[in-house]
Amino acid sequence: MKSASHQLFFILFTLFTISAAAIDILDRTQNITDGQTLVSPSGIFELGFFGSGLPTKRFLGIWYKVTPNVIVWVANRDRPLNDSSGVLAINDKGVLVLLDRSTNVIFSSNSSNAINPTVQLLDSGNLVLKAQSTTNDPSNNTFIWQSFDYPSNTMLPGMKVGKNLKTGFERSLSSWKSSDDPTRGDYTYSMDTQGSPELYMRNLGRPVYRTGPWNGLRFSGIPEMTTYENMFDFNFTASSEEITYGYGDKQGSSMSRVVLNETGDMQRLVWDQSTQSWNQFWSAPKDQCDFYAKCGPFAACNANDAMVCSCLKGFNPKSQAEWNMRLTAEGCQRRTQLNCSNGDGFYVLKGVKLPDTHNATADQSINLDRCGNKCAGDCSCTAYASADIREGGTGCVTWSGELTDLRYTDGGQDLYIKVAKSELDTSNTHKTHVVVIAAVTTISILLLLSVGFLFWRKRRAMRLVGRTFFLRDPELPAFDLETVMLATGNFSKANKIGEGGFGDVYKGKLQDGHEIAVKRLSENKYSSQGLKQFMNEVILIAKLQHRNLIRLLGYCSRGKERMLIYEYMSNKSLDFFIFDERRRTFLNWKMRLDIILGIARGVLYLHQESRVNIIHRDLKAANILLDGEMVPKISDFGTARLLRGDEPEINTQTVVGTRGYMSPEYAMDGKVSVKSDVYSFGVLLLEIISGERNEGHLLAYVSIRIIKQNAINLSNYTNSDIIFQAWNLWLEGNSHKLLDGAIGGPCPASEILRCIQVGLLCVQECPDDRPEMDSIVLMLASENIILSEPKKPVVCTSVGPLRNGVLNGMNESHSVNHLTITSLEGR
Ligand SMILES: *[C@@H]1O[C@H](CO)[C@@H](O)[C@H](O)[C@H]1NC(C)=O
Ligand SMILES: *[C@@H]1O[C@H](CO)[C@@H](O)[C@H](O)[C@H]1NC(C)=O
Ligand SMILES: *[C@@H]1O[C@H](CO)[C@@H](O)[C@H](O)[C@H]1NC(C)=O
Ligand SMILES: *[C@@H]1O[C@H](CO)[C@@H](O)[C@H](O)[C@H]1NC(C)=O
Ligand SMILES: *[C@@H]1O[C@H](CO)[C@@H](O)[C@H](O)[C@H]1NC(C)=O
Ligand SMILES: *[C@@H]1O[C@H](CO)[C@@H](O)[C@H](O)[C@H]1NC(C)=O
Ligand SMILES: *[C@@H]1O[C@H](CO)[C@@H](O)[C@H](O)[C@H]1NC(C)=O
Ligand SMILES: *[C@@H]1O[C@H](CO)[C@@H](O)[C@H](O)[C@H]1NC(C)=O
């Protein structure tokens, strides 16, 4: 018995040591077949075969042993094996090869002709081929071949991207095709060694994002690097030998990585031992200003500004009309030509990511003063800056030609821009301008930080509220499923009265005779996460009470069923009346004005007077319900967003809302604020007065133009654009002609004009110009308040015939494309 167990132990022990030997280092007599792996000495990385699917695709790759789904390197990404016959071995010429069933070479290292070559997977994640050390010198780490020279989509500590200027050998990252397909995708991340070197992310060769040039401490466009420089060593080398960038981990851990992911984002991730998960430290592009040349040449991007793009001082938009419509890719041009020989000067733009340096010249040997002289003496020079921000700024970068992809950023640099002297005459105001910009940036950053904090708190609060809701909310009664089914006749087709974004709406009658409207949330129309958020927001709305808001009576929740029960509105919705040939005649001027005022009061309550402040985001005629007395009730809070008084606006990636009612800054830039609701209210007001739908909205036109690249006859759109009509009639002094011809009875001209003027004030382009809801209510209700003159709305700025250049330019602007497409996807 004793000897048997001893024997077993021995067998196990040999098995263990044999397999351990087999998975540590590979020599000429060994190989790795599908199913076997090679593990780095401390067990951090593992090499083996992965992949699946039909048809089968197998790849040889390296992954973290703790998270095998995180693959950091792939050998044969463009030549997958079609079965599990792959073998990794060192052939008789000393070359590391991956062979398929018929011993075709799928992948190979360089030839070596070395004596007794071995292959090892190091703890850094580097797979190396080395010759047997003749000197036994452990510091000799010259490898015949290493995987670090051929990165996939991941950069690890010790790895480098960049170029060897002597041999021309280049290392760069390229994305996967999709999360389960390591085939080379569309994105690359590589060093541009022209001018002052910097890294570019490209999509099919077109720049999407750039880091900005190295400024001695970090990349000009990634000031965040300072916040984690105690964790990493950043190593940027620009010598006559090489231009490379790499990083090391200060703690010596290899558990951090920089990934170019398949959706075109750079991510820096670090393994958190305590939570056993990857934490993201940084990602880029981080906002719309990070997208390459978002604002075109000679313009600066400010992500915190309502007008994201602005021309540099001394420059005007190439096309004002397109600029107003957020078509900014063409950029700006000089207002006054440079004199060159004499009479030009510079002003400083503070806190920026330096513009594209591809055509710039860097000279480390001269200081900023001499840099200025150099630029002043060179007619083609348009700007200059310090090359290195250490020691108060040293070295010199000069730009010639256009300044592209310039943005404001926290911790940004000083850029000196050349303009004609006449543009500098206002040098005093200029100084304050710069100070204001710097101050605004700082304040915005503080604001952003506090907004983030509030969001975090709010999310927590909402989660808590959400839980109370379905367990025990004393203020909101629960309805039995049986009761609701009985009331709606088993959700019969006959009782269906509408279809919302979140599900169908049914009319019902409770046994006590009360009429209700039941919104049955359908799971397949909304993800469970979205459903949760929606419910949470509904909770808060349940606590709102106002004459002009729809009242939530209760809820029903059983199994997968989620229902909201509202008071029933016998007169359906506003669009049912104002856009109907016959029914519109029923609404006289007095009723329309009352409806407008009621809506205004409801929105005012949402924005300013309720317990929680809310942006509705989807105000439109279909969402205004009418009760038996034609009192308007705002409904459909599915897209509403909570807002705190000190939170001026929210940036959102998903633009939801309805075309025609969406404000330009929301549709184009994803910026939501109470002023986007004011814009929608203005459109609604003009619709109620005119009885016409605002269908041909130019924003929609712009989107279509970008996507389809087709020229569209503009007049088709302007004719049905109610803002366009209202503005032109206003200019002609014929505003009364906007009034719906179907209106009978007395129509006091002064009231109508006042109303239209308020409407035009609400649809002004710049959100700051639009009045707040409280003043709107006052302006509508009182004859004694003097209204300001509305400015020309953006949709009325005429756009010239399409030029090919514009279209191509637009197409190349990833961000614009991205944003407008999302806006079209909005409901
Ligand atoms: C791989 O190794 C096994 C066992 O050592 C051997 O039988 C097989 O022939 C080898 N395959 C190749 C392709 O070298
Ligand atoms: C798999 O690939 C080999 C060549 O690598 C080819 O000969 C064979 O036909 C392929 N098999 C299938 C099922 O596609
Ligand atoms: C090694 O491979 C690289 C790229 O595949 C190639 O450019 C280089 O010439 C090779 N070197 C040798 C010695 O074969
Ligand atoms: C390091 O190893 C390489 C390859 O084995 C060899 O050519 C070279 O001479 C060695 N260098 C030193 C300093 O030992
Ligand atoms: C930085 O890179 C250079 C050039 O590749 C190399 O010689 C140097 O050792 C690296 N320094 C660090 C700290 O990694
Ligand atoms: C790519 O990175 C971005 C930024 O962190 C992230 O939002 C996105 O989900 C990532 N995509 C994939 C497919 O991992
Ligand atoms: C440049 O300025 C000088 C001095 O003000 C003036 O004499 C000259 O005509 C200007 N040249 C051009 C091309 O404007
Ligand atoms: C660099 O100069 C070339 C040639 O003038 C021009 O085509 C290109 O657009 C410039 N690139 C940048 C980023 O300014």
Side-chain angles (χ1 to χ4, degrees):
M1 190 67 197
K2 197 176 177 184
S3 89
S5 72
H6 191 259
Q7 216 169 358
L8 181 64
F9 174 74
F10 182 76
I11 290 169
L12 279 176
F13 181 74
T14 15
L15 267 180
F16 177 74
T17 45
I18 286 169
S19 63
I23 59 170
D24 191 7
I25 293 181
L26 198 66
D27 67 24
R28 230 175 214 173
T29 65
Q30 298 159 314
N31 61 40
I32 300 270
T33 55
D34 203 325
Q36 294 178 314
T37 62
L38 198 63
V39 177
S40 73
S42 311
I44 298 169
F45 289 97
E46 187 168 31
L47 171 138
F49 291 86
F50 71 96
S52 60
L54 274 175
T56 305
K57 285 185 178 176
R58 301 292 290 170
F59 300 92
L60 179 75
I62 298 174
W63 53 82
Y64 292 95
K65 211 155 186 325
V66 279
T67 50
N69 57 331
V70 178
I71 289 151
V72 297
W73 183 76
V74 185
N76 58 325
R77 56 191 308 198
D78 294 321
R79 287 190 72 185
L81 293 154
N82 58 16
D83 56 25
S84 55
S85 65
V87 179
L88 181 72
I90 301 170
N91 73 8
D92 44 8
K93 294 205 174 62
V95 178
L96 178 67
V97 287
L98 173 62
L99 305 171
D100 71 2
R101 179 180 301 281
S102 354
T103 67
N104 295 315
V105 177
I106 298 298
F107 152 86
S108 79
S109 73
N110 275 359
S111 75
S112 71
N113 288 320
I115 317 133
N116 293 333
T118 54
V119 164
Q120 190 176 8
L121 177 59
L122 306 181
D123 276 330
S124 58
N126 196 4
L127 179 72
V128 300
L129 176 67
K130 49 185 183 180
Q132 194 181 51
S133 179
T134 43
T135 54
N136 254 352
D137 176 5
S139 68
N140 185 357
N141 57 357
T142 33
F143 306 125
I144 297 162
W145 178 92
Q146 57 174 341
S147 65
F148 270 20
D149 283 340
Y150 307 91
S152 296
N153 67 347
T154 305
M155 192 160 141
L156 296 172
M159 212 180 213
K160 287 200 159 125
V161 292
K163 202 166 182 175
N164 181 326
L165 298 177
K166 290 258 154 78
T167 63
F169 184 69
E170 197 176 348
R171 300 186 201 93
S172 61
L173 305 185
S174 55
S175 68
W176 285 27
K177 193 132 234 152
S178 67
S179 59
D180 56 0
D181 184 359
T183 312
R184 224 167 280 267
D186 294 342
Y187 292 94
T188 58
Y189 192 58
S190 60
M191 185 76 74
D192 181 3
T193 53
Q194 277 280 309
S196 184
E198 54 178 320
L199 288 160
Y200 281 77
M201 186 205 293
R202 291 190 163 86
N203 179 356
L204 298 171
R206 283 182 283 119
V208 173
Y209 162 79
R210 61 184 188 95
T211 57
W214 187 259
N215 64 20
L217 294 175
R218 53 182 185 257
F219 290 110
S220 171
I222 318 181
E224 305 92 301
M225 284 171 87
T226 22
T227 63
Y228 45 76
E229 66 191 2
N230 58 335
M231 296 184 64
F232 307 109
D233 278 315
F234 300 109
N235 190 2
F236 186 90
T237 309
S239 66
S240 55
E241 307 254 310
E242 64 174 81
I243 296 175
T244 54
Y245 166 70
Y247 79 97
D249 189 298
K250 283 203 165 151
Q251 273 90 52
S253 159
S254 6
M255 297 292 279
S256 83
R257 58 196 167 104
V258 173
V259 184
L260 168 60
N261 79 16
E262 49 277 13
T263 46
D265 286 284
M266 295 303 306
Q267 296 176 280
R268 176 178 287 275
L269 300 138
V270 175
W271 178 253
D272 183 339
Q273 190 61 37
S274 58
T275 60
Q276 295 282 300
S277 61
W278 290 96
N279 281 350
Q280 181 167 306
F281 269 61
W282 164 80
S283 76
K286 61 174 175 288
D287 57 34
Q288 49 183 326
C289 289
D290 263 356
F291 285 99
Y292 185 78
K294 158 91 183 160
C295 298
F298 298 119
C301 191
N302 184 347
N304 302 323
D305 204 330
M307 299 286 281
V308 177
C309 293
S310 57
C311 288
L312 300 180
K313 181 181 142 65
F315 295 81
N316 280 338
K318 273 200 189 138
S319 157
Q320 185 69 48
E322 284 168 10
W323 196 260
N324 289 347
M325 300 181 66
R326 308 296 195 275
L327 300 176
T328 52
E330 288 261 288
C332 307
Q333 61 195 5
R334 236 172 244 292
R335 207 152 45 193
T336 314
Q337 287 313 307
L338 296 176
N339 177 307
C340 187
S341 59
N342 177 17
D344 298 334
F346 293 94
Y347 69 90
V348 58
L349 200 59
K350 287 192 171 289
V352 293
K353 167 183 177 179
L354 296 180
D356 190 313
T357 48
H358 183 77
N359 290 339
T361 310
D363 183 348
Q364 300 295 343
S365 71
I366 58 176
N367 66 16
L368 194 62
D369 280 348
R370 285 189 51 203
C371 193
N373 292 339
K374 180 183 165 193
C375 186
D378 175 355
C379 286
S380 68
C381 181
T382 48
Y384 69 95
S386 287
D388 192 322
I389 60 169
R390 290 174 296 184
E391 297 162 25
T394 61
C396 171
V397 188
T398 52
W399 282 261
S400 59
E402 294 182 334
L403 302 174
T404 310
D405 197 31
L406 190 54
R407 68 163 298 170
Y408 291 104
T409 180
D410 184 25
Q413 289 170 237
D414 292 355
L415 178 69
Y416 297 83
I417 294 163
K418 193 194 265 180
V419 286
K421 216 170 223 144
S422 59
E423 296 288 349
L424 289 175
D425 286 347
T426 50
S427 56
N428 286 336
T429 52
H430 157 62
K431 256 193 185 138
T432 51
H433 181 65
V434 168
V435 172
V436 168
I437 286 172
V440 166
T441 321
T442 323
I443 292 171
S444 317
I445 287 155
L446 288 176
L447 262 173
L448 276 180
L449 285 175
S450 52
V451 165
F453 176 66
L454 287 176
F455 250 98
W456 174 77
R457 280 197 358 195
K458 190 172 303 151
R459 286 176 79 111
R460 264 179 44 141
M462 279 167 52
R463 244 178 271 140
L464 292 177
V465 177
R467 218 171 290 143
T468 14
F469 173 57
F470 278 115
L471 297 182
R472 46 175 200 299
D473 190 323
E475 289 178 44
L476 200 61
F479 283 68
D480 283 341
L481 184 59
E482 290 72 24
T483 312
V484 181
M485 287 176 71
L486 195 67
T488 57
N490 227 345
F491 302 111
S492 72
K493 260 214 177 107
N495 281 330
K496 187 166 150 186
I497 52 174
E499 226 167 289
F502 293 98
D504 295 339
V505 184
Y506 297 87
K507 182 187 173 176
K509 197 171 197 171
L510 296 176
Q511 285 198 307
D512 64 7
H514 257 98
E515 287 185 315
I516 55 171
V518 179
K519 186 181 262 184
R520 191 181 192 192
L521 305 180
S522 93
E523 255 200 330
N524 52 16
K525 282 203 178 159
Y526 221 66
S527 69
S528 57
Q529 183 58 33
L531 192 64
K532 199 163 155 192
Q533 277 173 10
F534 175 74
M535 291 308 233
N536 282 335
E537 304 216 359
V538 161
I539 306 317
L540 292 157
I541 286 144
K543 314 217 180 226
L544 302 179
Q545 283 195 31
H546 189 273
R547 178 179 150 81
N548 297 111
L549 297 190
I550 190 79
R551 181 121 172 73
L552 187 64
L553 299 177
Y555 69 96
C556 170
S557 167
R558 162 108 54 97
K560 284 192 166 179
E561 288 282 2
R562 297 280 184 283
M563 279 170 273
L564 298 169
I565 292 124
Y566 296 95
E567 54 183 340
Y568 177 71
M569 293 288 117
S570 55
N571 276 320
K572 302 213 163 84
S573 53
L574 187 57
D575 60 335
F576 184 70
F577 277 90
I578 55 172
F579 302 137
D580 181 86
E581 275 312 310
R582 202 172 43 79
R583 282 187 286 261
R584 68 205 296 173
T585 58
F586 174 71
L587 292 180
N588 63 27
W589 172 251
K590 171 89 179 42
M591 290 164 91
R592 291 190 197 215
L593 188 57
D594 284 344
I595 288 171
I596 291 171
L597 257 170
I599 300 168
R601 292 197 178 107
V603 180
L604 170 62
Y605 174 79
L606 287 180
H607 283 185
Q608 293 168 17
E609 294 170 350
S610 60
R611 273 194 266 174
V612 285
N613 296 340
I614 290 172
I615 310 176
H616 187 282
R617 292 212 292 176
D618 199 12
L619 286 175
K620 57 176 171 183
N623 283 343
I624 307 298
L625 306 185
L626 296 168
D627 75 1
E629 267 102 55
M630 299 300 278
V631 174
K633 312 259 182 182
I634 300 170
S635 77
D636 204 338
F637 293 87
T639 55
R641 287 287 287 263
L642 295 167
L643 191 81
R644 295 278 288 238
D646 44 2
E647 184 183 27
E649 63 175 28
I650 305 171
N651 250 305
T652 171
Q653 281 304 306
T654 36
V655 176
V656 293
T658 304
R659 244 157 57 183
Y661 292 94
M662 264 194 267
S663 65
E665 77 278 3
Y666 183 37
M668 297 291 199
D669 303 328
K671 285 179 184 290
V672 202
S673 68
V674 288
K675 296 299 182 70
S676 8
D677 273 358
V678 168
Y679 186 95
S680 312
F681 172 79
V683 175
L684 188 50
L685 182 153
L686 296 172
E687 285 185 337
I688 295 172
I689 292 174
S690 65
E692 274 175 55
R693 249 183 234 278
N694 187 38
E695 284 193 312
H697 201 272
L698 275 194
L699 293 176
Y701 162 70
V702 170
S703 315
I704 293 164
R705 186 171 91 166
I706 293 161
I707 294 160
K708 294 198 173 161
Q709 304 180 26
N710 283 332
I712 291 167
N713 186 353
L714 199 57
S715 58
N716 290 349
Y717 285 82
T718 50
N719 287 344
S720 54
D721 191 306
I722 203 70
I723 300 176
F724 187 85
Q725 287 181 35
W727 174 254
N728 283 342
L729 291 170
W730 167 264
L731 283 187
E732 294 167 11
N734 283 330
S735 277
H736 59 277
K737 288 193 181 161
L738 190 71
L739 194 67
D740 187 352
I743 297 188
C747 304
S750 65
E751 275 178 30
I752 293 163
L753 290 188
R754 168 168 288 268
C755 243
I756 291 173
Q757 190 166 354
V758 171
L760 286 170
L761 286 172
C762 291
V763 296
Q764 293 179 104
E765 178 186 9
C766 187
D768 291 341
D769 290 341
R770 295 173 210 147
E772 305 270 354
M773 278 325 288
D774 50 0
S775 25
I776 292 171
V777 170
L778 272 178
M779 290 191 275
L780 289 171
S782 161
E783 290 274 320
N784 301 325
I785 293 171
I786 296 173
L787 307 187
S788 51
E789 284 292 304
K791 292 184 189 152
K792 189 176 186 177
V794 62
V795 293
C796 302
T797 315
S798 72
V799 176
L802 296 180
R803 274 174 294 143
N804 275 336
V806 178
L807 270 178
N808 295 341
M810 289 304 308
N811 242 0
E812 268 165 31
S813 164
H814 174 99
S815 58
V816 172
N817 247 338
H818 174 73
L819 270 165
T820 31
I821 288 172
T822 40
S823 77
L824 263 191
E825 281 167 358
R827 310 185 296 132

